[in-house]
């Protein structure tokens, strides 16, 4: 579910960065208050690395031939508590952003919110924990895990739709986009939920004390008012960000699979109503600079501008390439010349 | 000088890891701590530095008795090298790993730098200074882990399976290093040849109790070894 | 699977270089990358021409820092599919014609498709270049200086450190599994619980041992001042020139100017 910089507007990206930073700062504050703070840091660090490693393990989804991997938010929150889990997930997302270009710098806020804040601070305390309040038998753990993961992924996918749409970089209509994202993530969520359930049941069977201790440490979790504040904050920033930026949009992502679904998009496009809706939406939102292409209408002068613009662009590319090439050749020569 | 008296360690599941154990390590003695898997070697080492709280008995280092108040002082005096260097090298750079302990004890940064360089030099691993532990070989990691402990200037050294994961060449290098270090040492190991090469005394454990304590020549007593499950 | 972890180290290796760019202050590099990305993404979805001048940033930085182009390009291609989806859907949904060249009508959708791909290119390059010229220790040092709490920075460092270790562990588990699974490519879903559970418990135990190792060396959560503090002249020059150019290209339509000059000459 990683979102990329390229599909975000600065307003939405910035707003989400602010929200996620606030959530992380709050989590740090909460953890610092905990007596076990010192001990929690290596645990959080190693568990973050665990999520990373576990995500590399592909499992085969029966009867489909496709494969998936775990997400980790709920799993981690169940093991070490919501706030520490949020910090771990954030660290993992930052590393993925920096070293693997999964997501981007500006998109970090969105990604931390969709994959960290939602499962760890919203779903875990509001869905997962209440279900396990009265006993932790095998069946209950399984049901709670599956439900929590599914809810997290649905909310996360919804977040992706909302954030990209508010950014206005793509033209996919809101409804279509939502219609694509939610079912895909329902399927992913069920598979991931089953695995999370299996892992947690396994852990509970072998080392019950680990999970017990997170539940006993529930005192840290009683940040309900703050949680509400966070939710309100998130909604408000989204609205403000949306007002600031254009609207129109899309970009999904569990989406290697969904790319295959573009065929489905093709059919939709044949549907006149959808297309018209999209076109009028586009008209309403096309806040483009006068120069770029709009003046390239039917009259000849526009074409002249366009061609000139294109040639200019190509020349710029060539210039940049030549400069880069020149510098590297120069550097190589100098290296060759110096008796290193 | 390290003295253990009637030390007992009990795990949460009630098994006795160490059972009423006493011995003294003094001068420049090097003790080989030998025993089958699960005999209590690691537990003993962890109890000495206060990671596992003894259920009974006393641990004393240079006249300081291990208790809650003195635990930091004790840990400064005793350097424990873990079995897996990856557990001990947790910072991005080897330099930071070695400086970690000194920083925690509040040394000024210039002194720390001098100490790190001195330690690296002593172990002949100055080239690892700016490297990341992600890319070191097993032997390099082992020496780096030892450096992290040495930089704190301990008076006693404890080693848990120092030859684990090492090839013969790295093992020889390690033997040289250990001979060079004048600290009294306890070395828990399964490697009898290595033990005989480095140590002058051996303590054999079974089920948390001392089965034998004497010269390293005990290690060639096959009958004794069999009785100790080795 | 192994590939991914090699990627992690490859960038780390590059960051040890000694070029002009490597020597810049990490905070300056971070700031310019951020300004670059923000100005790039602030253009609307049809502004292809406006984005073109920005190509100088990755091109020059890559040349100056001697970063191998092929490696970064590979990663760019790896991130592309997700954004391609968005771009392709634009082609279908955004059919109003933008302009025509020689009788071929180009729709706004096609324009925005190229804009998206180009944006991805610019943003991904900016981030990858930032990391490939900045050692990890300097990244965390500037995080500290930016006022990010020590709790988080230490956690971040440890996560980075243990990815390699746990990865090796996971990798050998997967290998052991596949050797006995009769050629299946992944882990069967029924085994996933105990498989991941094992890895999880091992990680948990490892965290325990790491914590012990830290305690043995007197660990208590203390803040260590570290890293380079002062900005040098080259930092000021590089930072201000790059940022100003980014902003200037945001305000002035350099491509149109260029095109105008070109037309004037013609």
């Amino acid at each position: 579910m990683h979102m990329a910089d390229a599909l975000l507007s600065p307003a939405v990206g910035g707003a989400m960065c602010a929200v996620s930073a606030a959530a992380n700062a709050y989590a740090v504050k909460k953890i610092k208050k905990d007596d076990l703070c010192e001990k929690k840091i290596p645990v959080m660090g190693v568990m973050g690395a665990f999520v990373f490693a576990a995500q590399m393990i592909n499992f085969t989804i029966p009867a489909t031939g496709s494969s998936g991997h775990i997400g980790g938010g709920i799993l981690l929150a169940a093991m070490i508590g919501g706030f520490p889990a949020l910090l771990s997930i954030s660290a993992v997302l930052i590393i993925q952003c920096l070293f693997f270009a999964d997501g981007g710098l500006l998109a970090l806020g969105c990604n931390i919110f969709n994959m960290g804040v939602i499962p760890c601070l919203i779903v875990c305390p509001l869905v997962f924990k209440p279900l396990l309040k009265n006993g932790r038998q095998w069946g209950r753990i399984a049901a709670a895990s599956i439900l929590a993961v599914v809810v997290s992924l649905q909310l996360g996918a919804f977040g992706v739709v909302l954030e990209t749409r508010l950014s206005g970089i793509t033209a996919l209509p809101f409804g279509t986009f939502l219609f694509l994202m939610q079912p895909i993530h329902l399927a992913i969520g069920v598979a991931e939920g089953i695995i999370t359930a299996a892992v947690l049941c396994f852990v509970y069977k072998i080392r019950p004390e680990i999970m017990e201790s997170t539940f006993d440490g529930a005192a840290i979790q009683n940040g309900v008012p703050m949680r509400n504040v966070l939710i309100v904050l998130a909604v408000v920033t989204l609205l403000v960000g949306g007002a600031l930026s254009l609207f129109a949009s899309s970009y999904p992502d569990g989406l290697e699979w969904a790319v295959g679904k573009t065929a489905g998009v093709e059919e939709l496009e044949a549907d006149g109503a959808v297309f018209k809706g999209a076109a009028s939406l586009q008209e309403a939102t096309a806040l483009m600079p006068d120069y770029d292409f709009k003046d390239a209408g039917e009259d000849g002068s526009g074409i002249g501008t366009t061609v000139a613009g294109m040639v200019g662009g190509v020349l710029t590319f060539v210039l940049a390439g030549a400069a880069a090439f020149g510098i590297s050749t120069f550097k190589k020569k100098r290296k060759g010349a110096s008796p290193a | 000088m390290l003295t253990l008296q009637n030390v007992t360690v009990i795990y949460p599941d009630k098994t006795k890891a160490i059972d009423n154990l006493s011995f003294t390590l003094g001068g420049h003695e090097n003790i080989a701590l030998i025993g089958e898997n699960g005999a209590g070697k690691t537990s003993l080492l962890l109890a000495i530095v206060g990671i596992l709280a003894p259920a009974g008995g006393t641990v004393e280092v240079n006249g300081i008795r291990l208790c809650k108040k003195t635990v930091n002082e004790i840990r400064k005096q005793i350097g424990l090298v873990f079995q897996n260097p990856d557990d001990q090298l947790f910072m991005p750079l080897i330099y930071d790993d070695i400086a970690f302990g000194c920083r925690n004890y509040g040394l000024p940064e210039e002194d720390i730098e001098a100490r790190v360089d001195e330690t690296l030099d002593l172990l002949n691993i100055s080239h690892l200074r700016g490297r990341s532990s992600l890319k070191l070989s097993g032997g390099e990691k082992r020496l780096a882990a030892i450096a992290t402990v040495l930089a704190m200037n301990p008076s006693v050294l404890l080693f848990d399976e120092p030859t684990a994961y090492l090839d013969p060449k790295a093992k020889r290098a390690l033997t040289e290093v250990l001979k060079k270090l004048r600290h009294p040492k306890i070395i828990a190991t399964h490697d009898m040849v290595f033990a005989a090469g480095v140590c002058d005394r051996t303590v054999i454990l079974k089920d948390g109790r001392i089965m034998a304590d004497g010269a390293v020549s005990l290690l060639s007593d096959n009958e004794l070894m069999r009785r100790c499950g080795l | 699977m192994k590939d991914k972890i090699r990627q992690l180290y490859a960038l780390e290796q590059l960051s040890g270089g000694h070029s002009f760019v490597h020597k810049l202050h990490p905070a300056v590099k971070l700031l310019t990358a951020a300004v670059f990305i923000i100005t790039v993404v602030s253009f609307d979805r049809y502004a292809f021409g406006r984005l073109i001048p920005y190509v100088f940033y990755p091109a020059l930085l890559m040349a100056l820092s001697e970063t191998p182009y092929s490696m970064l390009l590979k990663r760019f291609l790896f991130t592309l599919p997700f954004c391609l989806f968005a771009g392709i859907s634009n082609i279908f949904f955004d059919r109003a014609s933008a302009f025509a060249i020689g009788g071929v009508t180009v729709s706004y959708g096609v324009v925005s498709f190229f804009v998206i791909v180009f944006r991805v290119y610019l943003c991904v390059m900016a981030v990858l270049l930032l990391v490939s010229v900045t050692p990890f220790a300097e990244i965390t040092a500037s995080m500290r200086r930016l006022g990010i709490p020590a709790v988080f920075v230490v956690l971040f460092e440890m996560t980075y450190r243990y990815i390699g270790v746990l990865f090796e562990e996971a990798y050998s588990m997967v290998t052991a599994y596949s050797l006995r699974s009769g050629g299946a490519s992944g882990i069967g879903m029924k085994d996933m619980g105990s498989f991941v559970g094992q890895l999880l418990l091992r990680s948990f135990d490892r965290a325990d041992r790491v914590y012990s190792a830290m305690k043995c060396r007197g660990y208590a959560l203390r803040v260590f001042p570290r890293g380079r503090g002062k900005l040098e002249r080259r930092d000021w020059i590089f930072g201000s020139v790059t940022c100003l150019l980014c902003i200037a290209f945001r305000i002035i339509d350099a491509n149109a100017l260029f095109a105008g000059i070109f037309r004037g000459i013609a």
Side-chain angles (χ1 to χ4, degrees), chain A residues 75-307:
Chain A
L75 182 61
L76 224 53
M79 290 289 293
I80 61 179
F83 288 110
L86 172 63
L87 293 181
S88 295
I89 298 269
S90 300
V92 170
L93 288 171
I94 294 175
I95 289 172
Q96 283 175 338
C97 151
L98 290 178
F99 291 91
F100 299 98
D102 265 354
L105 271 186
L106 185 64
L108 259 180
C110 295
N111 287 327
I112 291 178
F113 188 84
N114 299 340
M115 290 182 268
V117 175
I118 289 178
C120 301
L121 297 195
I122 298 175
V123 177
C124 184
L126 297 183
V127 177
F128 187 71
K129 293 214 167 171
L131 282 175
L132 293 182
K133 219 170 208 163
N134 308 312
R136 294 178 201 125
Q137 304 86 343
W138 182 89
R140 265 174 182 275
I141 294 179
S145 317
I146 294 173
L147 190 67
V149 172
V150 168
V151 171
S152 301
L153 266 122
Q154 287 297 301
L155 286 175
F158 187 69
V160 171
V161 174
L162 212 59
E163 287 147 12
T164 30
R165 183 168 164 73
L166 288 171
S167 297
I169 302 302
T170 60
L172 199 61
F174 188 71
T176 315
F177 190 15
L178 208 60
F179 184 73
L180 267 174
M181 282 295 274
Q182 303 304 119
I184 298 170
H185 284 93
L186 182 65
I188 296 176
V190 170
E192 212 189 292
I194 292 172
I195 286 172
T196 304
V199 173
L200 287 178
C201 289
F202 176 84
V203 170
Y204 193 72
K205 197 170 79 193
I206 295 185
R207 299 268 291 275
E209 76 279 1
I210 293 178
M211 274 169 80
E212 296 285 1
S213 69
T214 14
F215 278 92
D216 295 341
I220 328 174
Q221 296 294 329
N222 289 336
V224 184
M226 180 59 191
R227 205 151 48 231
N228 293 344
V229 170
L230 275 179
I231 295 167
V232 172
L233 194 65
V235 171
V236 169
T237 28
L238 277 172
L239 289 177
V240 173
L244 285 173
S245 63
L246 318 165
F247 75 129
S249 82
S250 82
Y251 150 68
D253 146 299
L255 287 190
E256 279 163 295
W257 187 74
V259 174
K261 282 282 151 190
T262 15
V265 178
E266 217 159 357
E267 276 161 36
L268 280 170
E269 158 275 317
D271 187 320
V274 174
F275 176 59
K276 242 176 236 157
S280 65
L281 188 92
Q282 180 265 310
E283 219 126 74
T285 57
L287 229 176
M288 70 200 88
D290 289 337
Y291 145 71
D292 230 23
F293 295 105
K294 204 157 207 180
D295 63 343
E298 276 72 56
D299 61 331
S301 72
I303 294 175
T305 317
T306 311
V307 173

Side-chain angles (χ1 to χ4, degrees), chain B residues 113-160:
Chain B
E113 193 168 347
R115 235 195 236 194
V116 172
D117 287 335
E118 204 177 296
T119 315
L120 285 167
D121 210 39
L122 180 71
L123 300 182
N124 279 329
I125 50 170
S126 300
H127 56 290
L128 302 183
R129 192 180 195 268
R131 298 264 297 273
S132 144
S133 41
L134 293 166
K135 281 166 289 181
L136 303 189
S137 72
E140 288 171 329
K141 273 190 204 172
R142 173 70 60 199
L143 291 178
I146 295 175
T148 65
V149 164
L150 276 185
M152 295 172 65
N153 245 342
S155 53
V156 178
L157 288 175
L158 312 180
F159 294 85
D160 194 355

Side-chain angles (χ1 to χ4, degrees), chain B residues 7-34:
Chain B
V7 172
T8 301
V9 174
I10 299 174
Y11 275 134
D13 63 0
K14 306 275 185 292
T15 49
K16 264 189 191 172
I18 302 293
D19 190 0
N20 203 16
L21 188 143
S22 310
F23 71 85
T24 302
L25 168 76
H28 296 299
E29 253 182 334
N30 293 324
I31 294 185
L33 191 61
I34 308 284

Side-chain angles (χ1 to χ4, degrees), chain A residues 291-293 295-296 300-317, chain C residues 48-50 52 99-101 253-266:
Chain A
Y291 145 71
D292 230 23
F293 295 105
D295 63 343
S301 72
I303 294 175
T305 317
T306 311
V307 173
M310 282 183 149
V311 175
V314 170
L315 281 180
T316 315
F317 275 121
Chain C
F48 193 81
R50 302 289 311 269
I52 292 175
F99 59 91
I101 299 176
D253 188 343
N255 200 50
L257 273 179
F258 197 50
I261 296 167
F262 176 74
R263 261 211 302 182
I265 296 166

Side-chain angles (χ1 to χ4, degrees), chain C residues 5-219:
Chain C
I5 215 71
R6 221 173 283 136
Q7 279 183 14
L8 187 72
Y9 302 157
L11 276 186
E12 167 101 28
Q13 241 147 24
L14 284 180
S15 69
H18 296 287
S19 75
F20 161 75
V21 190
H22 285 89
K23 282 184 204 138
L24 289 169
H25 194 282
V28 169
K29 285 186 268 195
L30 184 69
L31 181 76
T32 47
V35 169
F36 177 81
I37 290 172
I38 289 171
T39 46
V40 163
V41 300
S42 70
F43 287 103
D44 69 78
R45 66 169 125 129
Y46 305 112
F48 193 81
R50 302 289 311 269
L51 285 176
I52 292 175
Y54 287 89
V55 81
F56 274 102
Y57 177 83
L60 294 184
L61 216 56
M62 206 162 340
L64 285 171
S65 63
E66 297 163 51
T67 310
Y69 196 81
S70 59
M71 191 173 121
L72 298 190
L73 206 61
K74 227 187 269 164
R75 270 193 225 195
F76 158 66
L77 293 177
F78 179 76
T79 53
L80 203 53
F82 308 125
C83 296
L84 271 184
F85 172 77
I88 289 169
S89 68
N90 274 13
I91 296 180
F92 288 116
F93 280 93
D94 201 352
R95 288 213 157 164
S97 68
F99 59 91
I101 299 176
V104 182
T105 318
V106 179
S107 71
Y108 280 114
V110 173
V111 173
S112 67
F113 170 79
F114 283 108
V115 168
I116 287 175
V117 172
F118 195 35
R119 277 165 74 117
V120 174
Y121 173 78
L122 292 174
C123 295
V124 167
M125 286 299 160
V127 172
L128 288 179
L129 276 168
L130 168 70
V131 178
S132 67
V133 296
T134 317
F136 187 79
E138 287 196 13
I139 295 177
T140 54
S142 36
M143 283 171 93
R144 282 196 168 84
R145 252 193 318 265
L146 288 171
I148 293 173
V151 174
F152 189 79
V153 182
V154 174
L155 156 73
F156 184 67
E157 287 173 333
M158 293 190 70
T159 307
Y160 179 77
R161 164 74 183 96
Y162 282 99
I163 283 172
V165 175
L166 292 187
F167 181 82
E168 287 294 327
E169 209 150 309
Y171 184 73
S172 62
M173 281 172 77
V174 170
T175 311
Y177 182 97
S178 62
L179 282 175
R180 286 181 288 152
S181 68
S185 66
I187 309 296
M189 197 137 154
K190 64 177 178 355
D191 302 323
M192 202 62 183
S194 59
F195 194 87
V196 175
Q198 285 285 1
L199 184 65
L200 186 109
L201 288 178
R202 284 194 208 175
S203 309
F204 220 79
D205 289 341
R206 180 179 295 273
D208 233 30
R209 291 197 302 274
V210 171
Y211 179 55
S212 299
M214 292 168 87
K215 269 201 299 189
C216 279
R217 284 188 271 154
Y219 165 67

